[in-house]
Amino acid sequence: MAEAVDHAEHRRRARQRAAQRLERAVDRERDAIALHEHAAAFHQTIAAELDDAALTVADSAQADQLRRRAATERDLADGATGRAAGVRARLAAGGVAHDR
């Protein structure tokens, strides 16, 4: 009889450890969403600054270069936004709400 209790306790602890591992994984995914969103906002801010700078330079070649750099920053922002959406989709597929 004691052996059956030990097995039950072992299963309970295994379930508890699995739940803790899942919770840590979900926390990491939520942190990833926040980091990707932060990166997207950063790249958008840089793009806006570069667009503004392009308006103030007299040299058209330099203005074109600044606009190209701004476009690259917007592409980076889009990529970061897409990565955040991918993480959200992974959480949703696992039945986990992505909001804290």
Side-chain angles (χ1 to χ4, degrees):
M1 184 78 155
E3 190 174 319
V5 172
D6 289 343
H7 287 298
E9 179 64 17
H10 177 72
R11 287 190 299 272
R12 185 190 68 75
R13 288 183 183 176
R15 283 191 303 272
Q16 185 179 32
R17 287 190 303 272
Q20 290 168 344
R21 283 191 302 271
L22 176 61
E23 187 176 327
R24 286 191 303 270
V26 168
D27 286 345
R28 284 191 303 271
E29 292 287 55
R30 287 177 175 153
D31 288 346
I33 290 169
L35 290 171
H36 290 311
E37 288 174 344
H38 179 77
F42 172 79
H43 288 299
Q44 286 291 2
T45 299
I46 297 299
E49 292 291 326
L50 290 167
D51 283 334
D52 289 345
L55 297 174
T56 62
V57 296
D59 182 16
S60 64
Q62 188 177 7
D64 287 344
Q65 182 182 16
L66 288 169
R67 282 191 288 275
R68 283 192 302 275
R69 286 179 56 201
T72 299
E73 290 294 329
R74 281 189 290 279
D75 288 343
L76 292 170
D78 290 345
T81 300
R83 286 188 296 280
V87 175
R88 279 192 193 90
R90 277 197 309 271
L91 286 175
V96 177
H98 67 276
D99 293 328
R100 286 188 181 212

